[in-house]
Amino acid sequence: MTATIIDGKARALRLRETVAAGVAAFVAAHGRAPGLTVVLVGEDPASAVYVRSKGLATAAAGMVSGEHRLPVTTSEAELLALVAALNADATVDGILVQLPLPRHIDTDRVIAAIDPAKDVDGFHPVNAGRLATGLDALVPCTPSGCLMMIEEALGDISGREALVIGRSNIVGKPMAALLTARSATVTLAHSRTRDLAGHVARAEIVVAAVGIPDLVKGAWVRPGACVIDVGMNRVALADGKSKLVGDVEYAAASERAGWITPVPGGVGPMTIACLLANTLKAARMRAA
Ligand code: NAP
């Protein structure tokens, strides 16, 4: 079998168009556009690239894009004061503090300071708890995008065997919660898991979110499975250049899977599109 490649760029474009239409309707109803403000502390080049693309995507969707770039020397108290100001600003519907933060700042404290109603990353414990208990929530963007791609490939996933590899608060745990809410039978694997190969071989849905290139061998994949590769690993090439690869042995897995996401061009584009969708959702909730 040769897998159908799930085109994350094309899917994300469709979602962005849907969001833009929703934004236009929001403006017509409320006389203002939803606003997303991104806060970046420090000079991390990868984070700067993400922040720039988030800003451009926000504006392209017709929303108000705000940006605060703070020096790496910013104290935790200064950052918390900015978050408090954004919480109080009625024109701001979504607040995103770009991670990772410099080591002298307590990330959990900053996330907890964001108004849960404006927490478009879905990392606040209130939103994590709402998701875990089956209540409506602002859901983390990466697993949200993964679920959309899985459901588009497979339709109803009720009763399906799903394996999530990686248990971070950002990807793995919310992914497992979303799949559970859709009545899949979910296994959550991590660094202590024994016989990862055996778990992969049983899974009709595999979501790999680890950060280890080619961890999931193609030969392990159950024929016909839907494989979602969240991993983004930069590996050096012999000619001195580098390339991005996922956590799944892509070529070999493509020979067995029914559907597979490429890296790049799979999960990544969906993450930003889901951020825009979350911002519109936050604006609608606050306006209601
Ligand atoms: P993370 O916080 O470092 O978590 C990695 C997880 O992988 C941990 O739960 C860890 O287990 C588990 N793990 C480590 N070694 C393992 C092994 N040998 N077998 C099974 N599980 C193992 O990473 P993250 O933030 O979730 O990100 C994961 C990957 O996704 C990274 O490559 C990241 O760049 C990428 N990512 C991509 C997007 C996107 O938009 N495309 C968004 C977010 C993240 P323990 O808990 O036991 O340590």
Side-chain angles (χ1 to χ4, degrees), residues 142 165-168 170-172 189-192 196 209-212 215 230-233 247 267-268 271:
T142 301
I165 315 174
R167 57 175 164 180
S168 70
I170 294 171
V171 190
H190 44 76
S191 66
R192 310 288 178 86
L196 186 63
V210 177
I212 300 180
L215 172 74
V230 181
M232 284 206 302
N233 311 294
D247 291 343
V267 173
T271 297

Side-chain angles (χ1 to χ4, degrees), residues 10 23 26 31 47 73-74 78 101 120 124 134 136 142 156-157 172 181 200 212 229 233 259 272-273 275-276 283 287:
V23 168
F26 185 92
S47 294
T73 49
T74 303
E78 285 167 328
L101 288 168
V120 283
H124 192 288
D136 188 34
T142 301
D156 181 7
I157 59 169
V200 174
I212 300 180
D229 193 349
N233 311 294
W259 294 266
I272 289 193
L275 173 67
L276 304 178

Side-chain angles (χ1 to χ4, degrees), residues 4-285:
T4 300
I5 295 166
I6 301 176
D7 185 343
K9 271 193 199 162
R11 180 66 188 86
L13 194 62
R14 277 191 282 134
L15 179 56
R16 285 166 67 156
E17 283 166 2
T18 307
V19 171
V23 168
F26 185 92
V27 172
H30 302 286
R32 70 170 186 93
L36 170 65
T37 294
V38 179
V39 181
L40 173 64
V41 185
E43 310 281 334
D44 178 54
S47 294
V49 171
Y50 289 138
V51 165
R52 191 176 135 73
S53 13
K54 284 168 186 171
L56 291 172
T58 305
M63 297 195 264
V64 178
S65 168
E67 208 174 284
H68 291 265
R69 286 173 182 256
L70 308 178
V72 71
T73 49
T74 303
S75 69
E76 184 178 300
E78 285 167 328
L79 180 56
L80 289 172
L82 174 59
V83 168
L86 295 172
N87 284 343
D89 184 339
T91 66
V92 174
D93 298 287
I95 302 168
L96 186 152
V97 178
Q98 183 66 43
L99 303 181
L101 288 168
R103 270 212 286 265
H104 65 274
I105 296 178
D106 182 336
T107 301
D108 289 341
R109 199 172 291 155
V110 174
I111 290 172
I114 296 171
D115 179 350
K118 298 188 177 189
D119 168 40
V120 283
D121 253 342
F123 296 162
H124 192 288
V126 165
N127 281 314
R130 292 182 68 87
L131 173 63
T133 52
L135 296 171
D136 188 34
L138 287 168
V139 174
C141 304
T142 301
S144 255
C146 293
L147 183 68
M148 282 180 205
M149 293 193 284
I150 293 167
E151 290 193 316
E152 234 166 61
L154 299 180
D156 181 7
I157 59 169
S158 165
R160 297 272 199 167
E161 290 283 342
L163 172 67
V164 180
I165 315 174
R167 57 175 164 180
S168 70
N169 292 336
I170 294 171
V171 190
K173 280 186 203 143
M175 187 74 247
L178 285 171
L179 292 165
T180 303
R182 292 294 202 275
S183 299
T185 303
V186 181
T187 302
L188 183 54
H190 44 76
S191 66
R192 310 288 178 86
T193 295
R194 281 174 281 167
D195 189 20
L196 186 63
H199 287 291
V200 174
R202 275 190 297 281
E204 299 170 272
I205 299 164
V206 178
V207 180
V210 177
I212 300 180
D214 294 346
L215 172 74
V216 177
K217 305 302 171 205
W220 299 351
V221 171
R222 176 170 166 166
C226 178
V227 177
I228 306 292
D229 193 349
V230 181
M232 284 206 302
N233 311 294
R234 190 155 285 284
V235 294
L237 298 173
D239 62 4
K241 294 185 180 152
S242 68
K243 67 168 184 172
L244 266 188
V245 300
D247 291 343
V248 178
E249 227 180 26
Y250 181 75
S254 301
E255 293 302 314
R256 294 173 65 86
W259 294 266
I260 192 164
T261 57
V263 177
V267 173
M270 284 300 283
T271 297
I272 289 193
C274 288
L275 173 67
L276 304 178
N278 269 357
T279 304
L280 177 59
K281 177 175 176 166
R284 284 174 173 156
M285 287 188 320

